[in-house]
Amino acid sequence: MAHRLLLDTSSLTYRAFFALPTSIKAPDGRPINAVHGYLDMTAQLVRDLKPDEVVHVFDHDWRPMPRVRAYAGYKSQRAPDPEELPEQFDVLREVLGALGMPVAEAPGWEADDAIATMCARASADDLVDVVTGDRDMFQVVCVGPPQVRVLFTVKGVSQLATFDEDAVVAKYGIPPDRYAEFAALRGDPSDGLPGVKGVGEKTARTLIQAYDSIPALLDDLGAQTPRLRAALDDARGYLAAMGDVVPVRTSVEVTVDRSTRDDEALDALGEQHRLSGPLRRLREALDA
Ligand code: MN
Ligand code: MN
């Protein structure tokens, strides 16, 4: 069995930025907090889980055209990234390359889709753990084979909760393969998805449990209360669009960069960006 760790690097770096103070700076005064937190999180995962492989997965396009074409509001309300963040992504890429750790992305797509595709292509005897703060990834959880779990950020990036299929059912009352429909009904404010008017988590769960699919639900509006019937009827276009927006893609092109570790370059990067501490801890964890 190979234990593979897929890190949702875009989601985790963003979380690390807000979890750690921007007073963590490189010698020239640039905040380096997100890279610092991400590398320490990776070291902790490697130490605790001793995985056979760790892959860092980036958003190639955080707002892919196929999703925006289906629903123009997709992520349209997102505040721009804090200005100290984009250059930290560039530093992180350089550091991961020098570490010789694989970096993956799906051209034209989000890390979500690259990860879902890699899960779909895993070997039957793999155990895949997806580390993320993005609820969309609950869609890929499965008993398997291969078994896929989500390690979800609870607080910052240092505390994670493990979600296997039973845990997703316990939390949401629906299995992972219905999560996309559940999210479409309930909405997801962080992605600009309003959901169906008046439908919260509880109603969404009841409806998903009662019907095999959203089309089956829409074919049975007569069985709903008048208010819900009207709301669902109004939401037909929205719900049809969500079929192209919420589901993660499982067969996109994924590119993986694998370089070899360059310890001299790492020492220099550690000095340049004041990352010597996290890089020492991560190298020790990888070498153990
Ligand atoms: Mn994402
Ligand atoms: Mn997402």
Side-chain angles (χ1 to χ4, degrees):
M1 183 198 85
H3 185 186
R4 308 183 66 200
L5 231 54
L6 305 181
L7 271 55
D8 187 342
T9 307
S10 297
S11 158
L12 296 167
T13 305
Y14 191 82
R15 288 189 74 88
F17 181 84
F18 290 104
L20 291 158
T22 49
S23 56
I24 301 176
K25 289 182 195 300
D28 62 6
R30 284 170 294 118
I32 198 72
N33 56 328
V35 180
H36 205 283
Y38 184 86
L39 293 175
D40 272 337
M41 179 207 66
T42 306
Q44 186 190 328
L45 285 166
V46 170
R47 257 194 322 267
D48 293 353
L49 302 176
K50 301 179 176 52
D52 299 293
E53 185 183 46
V54 180
V55 184
H56 303 271
V57 189
F58 284 77
D59 281 338
H60 181 269
D61 185 344
W62 65 283
R63 205 168 164 246
M65 244 354 250
R67 293 200 166 97
V68 176
R69 261 200 302 268
Y71 188 74
Y74 181 62
K75 292 184 175 173
S76 64
Q77 88 307 346
R78 280 263 175 109
D81 278 350
E83 59 176 322
E84 306 96 329
L85 188 52
E87 62 182 337
Q88 294 198 55
F89 273 102
D90 298 337
V91 173
L92 180 59
R93 265 185 200 266
E94 199 180 349
V95 167
L96 295 175
L99 281 160
M101 300 187 86
V103 170
E105 57 194 337
W109 294 95
E110 300 176 54
D112 306 35
D113 308 293
I115 289 169
T117 298
M118 285 187 277
C119 290
R121 291 177 188 161
S123 306
D125 60 351
D126 283 346
L127 166 64
V128 184
D129 279 332
V130 176
V131 187
T132 185
D134 186 340
R135 289 190 168 74
D136 288 326
M137 298 321 301
F138 288 134
Q139 295 175 58
V140 302
V141 170
C142 65
V143 176
Q147 189 185 3
V148 180
R149 306 185 298 190
V150 160
L151 310 185
F152 197 78
T153 51
V154 177
K155 195 174 158 248
V157 289
S158 55
Q159 251 190 65
L160 302 169
T162 302
F163 282 86
D164 59 8
E165 184 156 335
D166 286 345
V168 173
V169 174
K171 181 167 174 65
Y172 293 107
I174 49 127
D177 63 1
R178 304 293 308 279
Y179 185 83
E181 296 161 277
F182 170 79
L185 288 169
R186 177 205 58 186
D188 184 344
S190 68
D191 282 350
L193 310 178
V196 176
K197 195 171 168 231
V199 172
E201 197 155 308
K202 203 168 141 229
T203 306
R205 170 167 46 240
T206 307
L207 293 173
I208 293 293
Q209 287 170 347
Y211 294 92
D212 289 338
S213 68
I214 289 191
L217 161 64
L218 294 175
D219 279 347
D220 196 31
L221 289 190
Q224 315 307 328
T225 62
R227 188 180 300 178
L228 184 56
R229 186 188 314 153
L232 286 165
D233 199 37
D234 281 348
R236 281 178 190 277
Y238 161 81
L239 287 170
M242 286 307 104
D244 287 323
V245 172
V246 186
V248 289
R249 305 302 201 265
T250 55
S251 59
V252 293
E253 182 203 348
V254 175
T255 60
V256 184
D257 270 359
R258 289 172 199 275
S259 32
T260 46
R261 180 155 129 192
D262 182 342
D263 278 301
E264 246 172 69
L266 285 173
D267 291 341
L269 287 165
E271 292 278 309
Q272 187 191 344
H273 302 291
R274 199 174 278 140
L275 290 169
S276 299
L279 283 174
R280 178 177 46 76
R281 290 189 282 277
L282 179 49
R283 278 189 277 187
E284 279 170 8
L286 291 168
D287 291 342

